Amino acid sequence: MHSIASRQIRPSVEDEIGPRRPGAIYQNVDGRFEVLALVTDPADAAHLLRRTAARWAVIVRDTIRPDRQPFAVGSVWTTSDYLLRPAKAAYTPAA
């Protein structure tokens, strides 16, 4: 499974993902999460999210309950999400 797609992310996908890149921490009504990986390959994202129409997924770790296992999310970034710490480096898809 590839954690980064070999093609550019489409602008609409970037809007859906928001600032969630590896190293970022964000919070919403569900909790506070550190982004461990961004998956932009649709087949890999669909497999992780167990749905056929996925275009991307973010693998996160719950920072409030650190004993939980990392998990994949595919929810769109909204005004209910707050970036607490930006990603460590700019996201660049693998060549």
Side-chain angles (χ1 to χ4, degrees), residues 3-80:
S3 64
I4 300 174
S6 61
R7 59 186 164 284
Q8 294 292 337
I9 296 178
R10 295 177 289 205
S12 63
V13 170
E14 282 194 41
D15 292 339
E16 291 175 358
I17 296 168
R20 292 176 288 186
R21 303 295 187 269
I25 295 179
Y26 70 99
Q27 185 169 331
N28 59 28
V29 296
D30 297 321
R32 186 174 59 222
F33 308 97
E34 179 180 15
V35 178
L36 303 177
L38 171 60
V39 179
T40 56
D41 178 75
D44 290 342
H47 176 76
L48 285 168
L49 296 170
R50 296 181 180 96
R51 57 174 106 139
T52 57
R55 297 191 299 171
W56 57 271
V58 179
I59 299 173
V60 298
R61 178 180 67 86
D62 189 329
T63 62
I64 295 173
R65 295 173 290 274
D67 57 327
R68 292 193 56 197
Q69 293 293 316
F71 58 96
V73 295
S75 55
V76 173
W77 184 264
T78 70
T79 57
S80 297

